[in-house]
Amino acid sequence: MAAKAELISNSVQEMALNGKEPPVKYFCKGNDVGFLDASVPLIDIPVVDLGLLTSSSTSAQELEKFHLAVISRGCFQVVNHGMTSSFLDKIRDVSKRFFALSMEDKQKYSREADSIEGYGNDMILSDHQTIDWSDRLYLTISPEDQRKIKFWPENSKDFRETLNEYTMKLQEINEILLRAMAMSLNLEESSFLDQYGERPLVAARFNFYPPCPRPDRILGVKPHADASAITFLLQDKEVEGLQFLKDNQWFRVPIIPHALLINVGDQVEVNSIIFKCLFFLFAGANGITL
């Protein structure tokens, strides 16, 4: 019988303000404690210039650089993406303004117990579950007929306009990257795009990580893989915290204020394997030795 999801009574932001010891459900258990090692090294993340990637004179060289970034890291930073630093700051600002609202105002957008859409934190599915030290606002962007506007904050007159503009720009970048991934694998340029059709699911998630009184035992977000095709992450300009796992070792991700961090998700990885298998089958059927 499936567990019934429950809501957490207090936000992490409230708990951070009261200064008390966090509840035990936030504390990492067993092997997860090892992820809290403060000596995690910093590693360079490949930087891809989108302008060079789309230019006829430089695309071949940048495509090779892009290909190496995807297969060696699975994530990379994108610059020259068409969004100004001031616009990215505006995205950060509307997010900060939402979380700066009173608790009463934020709760107007609270998610329901059986849904991730809206304002809140982790669903409680088990008494033994470890909870993330973060509050979040999760919104469906597209298909547009699946948007739940009641969860879109009205505290800022430009929140919806800014988010719309941001996601439209990201969808343009998404198309460029998916085409480039296909080309880097010697596939038809639209191979990945065709897999997701004309109504792909696009969601936005705003995360807030208040200062934690027990950073030696608590994580903002548990180790995980992204189930999406591509994740676009706009990091805080000053507070470092993102890490990724490579060759069984955790590394800190550097901040480039004007860049977007791109993480290749499980859907693209699975589809790339499927396409490779289909290519092998097709090539074998035509007597080609690989």
Side-chain angles (χ1 to χ4, degrees):
M1 184 176 182
K4 184 178 179 180
E6 297 178 9
L7 290 169
I8 298 174
S9 57
N10 294 322
S11 71
V12 171
Q13 193 172 5
E14 286 178 298
M15 288 186 282
L17 290 172
N18 69 32
K20 297 180 181 179
E21 180 83 350
V24 68
K25 62 189 175 186
Y26 287 91
F27 285 67
C28 292
K29 307 170 185 69
N31 293 332
D32 286 349
V33 177
F35 295 118
L36 297 166
D37 183 0
S39 62
V40 175
L42 187 71
I43 190 172
D44 286 337
I45 300 293
V47 177
V48 175
D49 187 313
L50 211 61
L52 296 179
L53 189 63
T54 55
S55 169
S56 58
S57 61
T58 56
S59 59
Q61 300 95 311
E62 200 67 13
L63 185 64
E64 178 62 23
K65 181 179 176 182
F66 171 79
H67 177 67
L68 291 174
V70 172
I71 63 174
S72 67
R73 294 281 193 274
C75 66
F76 50 93
Q77 308 257 28
V78 165
V79 297
N80 200 9
H81 41 60
M83 286 183 273
T84 64
S85 295
S86 60
F87 180 71
L88 296 181
D89 286 342
K90 189 175 182 181
I91 299 297
R92 296 182 178 102
D93 183 60
V94 295
S95 175
K96 291 177 180 177
R97 275 188 277 158
F98 171 75
F99 289 109
L101 290 173
S102 68
M103 189 53 58
E104 181 181 1
D105 284 339
K106 288 197 288 287
Q107 286 176 341
K108 294 176 183 177
Y109 309 101
S110 292
R111 68 172 181 81
E112 297 162 357
D114 59 350
S115 172
I116 60 174
E117 187 105 7
Y119 167 69
N121 35 36
D122 287 357
M123 286 184 180
I124 305 298
L125 301 172
S126 165
D127 291 338
H128 306 291
Q129 181 177 341
T130 301
I131 310 301
D132 291 340
W133 186 260
S134 62
D135 294 327
R136 63 191 68 113
L137 176 65
Y138 186 100
L139 302 171
T140 296
I141 305 299
S142 66
E144 288 193 27
D145 58 11
Q146 293 185 22
R147 290 183 179 183
K148 297 182 179 179
I149 297 300
K150 66 179 181 180
F151 294 120
W152 288 53
E154 297 179 302
N155 61 293
S156 170
K157 63 181 180 180
D158 56 353
F159 181 95
R160 297 181 181 184
E161 178 184 333
T162 302
L163 182 55
N164 271 324
E165 184 178 355
Y166 182 53
T167 52
M168 283 192 293
K169 291 178 181 295
L170 289 185
Q171 289 183 59
E172 293 174 5
I173 298 171
N174 182 64
E175 180 173 340
I176 293 170
L177 295 178
L178 287 177
R179 289 185 183 280
M181 285 183 193
M183 292 170 62
S184 73
L185 294 171
N186 295 317
L187 298 171
E188 289 291 332
E189 188 175 336
S190 63
S191 295
F192 290 122
L193 284 170
D194 291 344
Q195 289 295 306
Y196 300 107
E198 297 179 358
R199 288 171 56 83
L201 176 63
V202 179
R205 175 169 159 171
F206 299 85
N207 297 319
F208 182 73
Y209 306 97
C212 180
R214 291 299 306 275
D216 59 319
R217 293 293 307 278
I218 295 176
L219 287 169
V221 177
K222 294 180 292 294
H224 65 280
D226 288 344
S228 60
I230 291 182
T231 297
F232 294 86
L233 180 63
L234 179 62
Q235 296 191 80
D236 189 274
K237 291 174 66 174
E238 299 174 355
V239 181
E240 185 184 287
L242 183 65
Q243 299 179 10
F244 76 94
L245 184 68
K246 176 177 170 54
D247 300 328
N248 295 316
Q249 182 177 0
W250 287 94
F251 294 94
R252 291 158 37 228
V253 175
I255 295 172
I256 302 178
H258 58 280
L260 297 170
L261 182 81
I262 313 297
N263 186 55
V264 179
D266 294 343
Q267 291 183 36
V268 166
E269 183 178 358
V270 169
N271 279 333
S272 66
I273 294 171
I274 292 173
F275 282 128
K276 185 180 288 188
C277 289
L278 289 174
F279 177 74
F280 284 166
L281 289 172
F282 179 79
N286 286 275
I288 301 173
T289 302
L290 300 174

